[in-house]
Amino acid sequence: MKNVYYMLAYAYQTLNEEGFSSIKSEDFENVHDLMAAILIRGVSNQIKRGLHRDFVRQTEILGNLRGKIDITNSIKHQTMLQRRMVCQYDLFSENTLLNQILKTTLHLLIRCGDVKTENRKALRKLLLFFENVSMLDAFHINWSALNYHRNNSAYKLLINICWLVIKGLLMTTENGEYKMAKYLDDQQMHRLYEKFVLGYFKREYPHYSARAAYIDWNVDDGMLDFLPVMKSDIMLTNGSKILIIDTKYYGQTMQRNTRYDSTTIISGNLYQIFTYVKNKDFLGSGNVSGVLLYAKTDEDITPDNDYLMGGNQISVKTLDLGAEWTEIKTQLEGVAAMIAI
């Protein structure tokens, strides 16, 4: 659990701010309790600043006209016979999508038996401040409708934590009850793993340029129709040297060919990183390298290899997320050293 916290801290740099630091010293037995503790700190801080408010569209049948008259629905519901009209108006309210997601997530964690009693009590106290905020159906939240700007930027961390809770921990319903999973699934962990590795290099190697970047196809005739987009998970740049990192969080890191009784690196992943490197190094300088960075599994064979392919180094490494944090840092330092000058 401590390593999960460190991953979150690097993925979402806000966790390093004052107010969250005490979480590092706490003991957590499961992900649910860790997420609850982070939300308790974060939501408490947001309440002190004030819940975000925005203009929310309201539709109501009124006897006194307000805002814009909805003629179509007024005729449809024959409200004029009652000397009333369907009106649409904007109300400056805290009942926004951001606050609705927070309230829904707090409710889910309260109902999760793995959250400590004291944390459930703290979550209930926070809900008192959301009295005027509506609940959502956790399975049908429109995440793509979220929009961040200067006035609500502090919500970004909180909503990302909510996303991990809802998408990663919420599995199904049984008899109308929510059922919570014990761990984040591979999809959610892959997203967290990718953001963690990128956040780590941004923070610990400020003299490098670390970002997710698009890679142009190296075509001779300029014909790009129907070619897929190439976007690296992480691209580290140190002077003239570039390292393209593709993070992989799978249940297995190797593929087994029973016909030939052989174990090999997953071919699709290797083709992908090779394509990234060769198209990025279109001049053939050899200054571009690539690494497939797998999260370590319990397989008997895990890759730890370096290959020189046409003048470019292609590496396949594993990162043991179950090791002590100092060991994880050592492993990541070894990755960064690939383009040290």
Side-chain angles (χ1 to χ4, degrees), residues 43 47 51 94 102-103 106-107 110 120-133:
V43 175
I47 288 172
L51 291 178
E94 68 263 30
L102 285 181
K103 183 174 182 177
L106 297 180
H107 264 286
I110 288 172
R120 287 207 298 272
K121 289 181 179 179
L123 292 170
R124 288 192 183 96
K125 290 180 180 179
L126 292 176
L127 281 176
L128 297 175
F129 296 91
F130 290 81
E131 183 179 0
N132 298 322
V133 178

Side-chain angles (χ1 to χ4, degrees), residues 35 39 105 109 161-170 180:
M35 298 296 186
L39 281 179
T105 307
L109 288 171
I161 297 297
C162 290
W163 187 91
L164 286 171
V165 171
I166 292 173
K167 302 290 283 187
L169 305 180
L170 185 65
M180 306 296 281

Side-chain angles (χ1 to χ4, degrees), residues 57-70 73-74 77-91:
R57 176 60 55 90
Q58 307 287 321
T59 301
E60 193 175 355
I61 300 175
L62 299 173
N64 298 318
L65 298 183
R66 182 178 182 182
K68 178 183 178 182
I69 300 174
D70 188 339
N73 280 314
S74 295
H77 296 288
Q78 298 182 343
T79 59
M80 289 175 285
L81 298 177
Q82 307 168 12
R83 296 185 178 182
R84 298 162 70 86
M85 297 292 284
V86 177
C87 298
Q88 293 182 347
Y89 59 93
D90 291 333
L91 182 66

Side-chain angles (χ1 to χ4, degrees), residues 302-316:
T302 54
D304 183 14
N305 302 85
D306 300 301
Y307 306 96
L308 192 61
M309 300 181 178
N312 299 96
Q313 180 175 312
I314 305 290
S315 302
V316 185

